[in-house]
Each structure stands twice: as structure tokens, then as C-alpha cells.
Amino acid sequence: MPDTTDPTRLLADECAAEARTFVETVAGVASGAAPESAIPLLLLATSQVQLMGSRLGAIADVLPAERFEPDTGPEVEVEPLREGIGRLFDGLDSYVDLQDPVTSVEVTSGSLADDLAIITESLTHGLAHHAAGRTTEALWWWQFSYLSAWGERAAMAVRVLHGLLAHVRLDADADEVAEAEFDALHS
């Protein structure tokens, strides 16, 4: 039975649950099972995991017990996920970004499929540590990779997904919206 009074263990377990939910949601969307709900599901999952990362970014640095990271075994293959998201968002996957909004005005490009794959890869790496009982190592990995990679990717993914959702909802033809409202009220 895990120690429910150890705050490090509790935080690691909460982060693991959030990470698993994100990974499962992205994998489900990438499979193409529910394309009509892909945008809101990804927006919700990415926003939620961003909250997890923000919690980790707000606490003091987590320091692992060992100087070198223990081997977690084979990395999870994210290429099928990247390809599935790319197919789902064909023509909408690429976006414009700033290289670093704090230090540069240089414009670069990004990819929603790449962002979600990077986040998934980082979270699954931490999940492997957590599953092996190395909770401090899992927290260290999630915190480090949030600050160095996936946190920025999550922020951009949320921005892109929000933009897509806003366009879908707000760019609708006014006559079609009025007709749908009429039908809903008179059905």
C-alpha cells in the first residue's frame, strides 16, 4: 500500500494520472475514432496537462537521488501518433510561431502533430519511472522536460487548438446558425 502521507508520492501519483489521461486521449484522437470531437478533446487534455506542468514549474526544483537517470527501457514509439494527428489535421497542422517570444522576434513554424508527440514522449518517459516506483525521478523528469521542452509545446498546442475551435464555432455561416437554432427550438 502506497504511503498516502508522503507529499512527493502524492504529487507524483497525481501527475501520473494526468499524464496517463493525456496520453490515452491523444492516442484515441490519433486513431481517428472520433474526428468530430478531436479539437475539443485535445484542447481539454492539453490544457489539463499544462496545469500539471505549471504545478511542477511552480515548486522548488525536484532533485533525483542518483546523479544519472536509471534506464526506463525502450521509449514509446510516437511516430504513429504523430502521423495520425497529422492526417486528422491535414492542412491545419502547421502554424506560425516565434522562435522565443522573450528574446527574439524571429518567426518560425510549428506543427500540432509534432507538439502533441513531443508532449506524449516526455510524459510517457516519466510514466515509466513512476511505474518502476521511482517517484522522485518521475517528478524530476516531468519538471525538467516541462521547463525545457513540452511546456512550450503544450502552450502552443493550446493556442492553436483554441484558434481552430474558435474558427469552427465563430466562422459559421449566419444563415446556417439561424436555421440550426430555429430547428432546435421547434423540434
Side-chain angles (χ1 to χ4, degrees):
M1 180 112 182
D3 181 4
T4 57
T5 61
D6 177 8
T8 301
R9 175 66 168 199
L10 289 173
L11 179 59
D13 291 348
E14 289 171 6
C15 290
E18 291 294 342
R20 271 192 296 280
T21 299
F22 176 85
V23 170
E24 291 167 3
T25 300
V26 173
V29 169
S31 75
E36 67 284 346
S37 59
I39 295 172
L41 282 174
L42 289 174
L43 179 59
L44 182 59
T46 308
S47 296
Q48 196 65 33
V49 83
Q50 198 175 20
L51 175 61
M52 171 195 135
S54 296
R55 284 180 70 192
L56 293 170
I59 64 173
D61 288 349
V62 176
L63 299 174
E66 301 294 321
R67 181 180 166 112
F68 298 99
E69 177 184 9
D71 186 11
T72 60
E75 294 292 325
V76 171
E77 177 58 48
V78 296
E79 199 53 38
L81 182 141
R82 184 187 324 269
E83 291 170 1
I85 297 292
R87 274 191 305 278
L88 190 63
F89 288 97
D90 186 34
L92 301 172
D93 182 55
S94 297
Y95 60 84
V96 175
D97 192 7
L98 290 175
Q99 186 68 34
D100 182 331
V102 175
T103 63
S104 170
V105 294
E106 183 180 342
V107 176
T108 187
S109 62
S111 159
L112 186 58
D114 288 346
D115 293 343
L116 296 172
I118 288 166
I119 299 165
T120 299
E121 192 169 43
S122 292
L123 294 178
T124 55
H125 187 89
L127 282 169
H129 283 301
H130 186 267
R134 296 185 297 266
T135 55
T136 302
E137 189 71 32
L139 286 172
W140 174 83
W141 177 258
W142 287 321
Q143 184 183 56
F144 168 76
S145 60
Y146 169 74
L147 295 171
S148 65
W150 74 263
E152 181 181 15
R153 301 303 10 124
M156 281 311 302
V158 165
R159 185 167 184 210
V160 170
L161 289 163
H162 174 267
L164 290 171
L165 186 62
H167 282 293
V168 166
R169 297 272 177 85
L170 300 176
D171 295 350
D173 179 74
D175 292 335
E176 288 180 28
V177 171
E179 190 175 312
E181 287 174 347
F182 180 83
D183 289 345
L185 291 173
H186 296 91
S187 295

